[in-house]
Amino acid sequence: IEEPAGKAAFKGNFAGTPAYAYYPYNEANADNSTIKGNLPLAQDFSSVDGMLNYDYKLGVASAENKDEFIFSHLFSLLRFTINADGTGVTGQNLQRVEITFPDGVTLNSGDFTVPVKGGDIKWSSTSTGKTLTLNWNDAPAMTARQTLTGYLNCPPVSGLKGKSINVKLITSTYAVSFNATVNIDSFAAGYVYT
């Protein structure tokens, strides 16, 4: 499939009926009980192809159709919609977006494992931080009357309600920063937050 799609077909020869599936493929996952992965706090995104890295998903066979899998996202997905129309940064090229979480909120990152049946993520070579960074690889121009949309994977985090996060847009010339109060307690796995 060359275009984004809600469904994909996989074909091949199986010794039995597959019970679980995961995305993306990793040769290190020879063990059929856990999946290994890595989630950094700095991630790349391209608005040209919409490619999102570190987009880990687990799939279980559908109850109605054993040949169909229902996938769940392991992390929270943060969606940015940016419109610089009428501001001093209109026409600037966006290089990155940084989200800094408040004191008392820590983000896990690094190597992890998760059971193929689903369950809690176990961080192995964990590093922690407070800032998620979206590196916009193609540095799109924030032109008048245009909205840019980007995505970033966020490890599940709680304790956010009523706290302020800082959002910073960085171009080659400027850094625009603002604070936003979070109205929910957590960024939960499998959900998209704008």
Side-chain angles (χ1 to χ4, degrees):
I1 296 176
E2 295 180 4
E3 298 293 325
K7 290 190 173 191
F10 296 87
K11 295 181 180 177
N13 297 316
F14 297 101
T17 303
Y20 307 102
Y22 69 92
Y23 172 87
Y25 175 72
N26 181 347
E27 280 187 46
N29 290 327
D31 177 357
N32 64 3
S33 63
T34 59
I35 294 171
K36 299 175 185 177
N38 180 280
L39 181 69
L41 294 182
Q43 301 166 27
D44 295 333
F45 180 78
S46 168
S47 57
V48 173
D49 61 14
M51 188 66 175
L52 175 67
N53 295 307
Y54 313 105
D55 187 20
Y56 293 98
K57 293 178 175 66
L58 286 177
V60 295
S62 165
E64 294 86 36
N65 180 357
K66 293 296 182 190
D67 290 334
E68 182 176 277
F69 288 84
I70 309 300
F71 283 86
S72 299
H73 192 69
L74 286 184
F75 302 113
S76 303
L77 192 61
L78 305 184
R79 177 176 43 222
F80 300 92
T81 53
I82 301 166
N83 185 325
D85 203 14
T87 70
V89 293
T90 301
Q92 292 283 311
N93 291 78
L94 183 60
Q95 294 183 333
R96 69 183 183 273
V97 177
E98 295 177 355
I99 297 181
T100 302
F101 287 78
D103 290 339
V105 176
T106 302
L107 302 171
N108 288 319
S109 65
D111 294 331
F112 67 86
T113 58
V114 65
V116 292
K117 297 179 181 181
D120 292 336
I121 295 170
K122 292 191 177 17
W123 299 93
S124 47
S125 65
T126 308
S127 57
T128 57
K130 291 178 46 163
T131 302
L132 277 174
T133 302
L134 175 62
N135 295 311
W136 224 297
N137 288 346
D138 52 333
M142 295 185 288
T143 58
R145 297 177 302 281
Q146 180 188 21
T147 298
L148 297 176
T149 302
Y151 296 90
L152 183 61
N153 288 291
C154 178
V157 62
S158 61
L160 298 174
K161 190 170 181 98
K163 294 183 179 177
S164 180
I165 59 173
N166 179 265
V167 179
K168 189 181 291 184
L169 308 177
I170 299 169
T171 73
S172 57
T173 311
Y174 299 104
V176 178
S177 179
F178 62 91
N179 291 326
T181 301
V182 182
N183 295 323
I184 56 174
D185 185 61
S186 63
F187 289 160
Y191 288 86
V192 179
Y193 302 93
T194 302

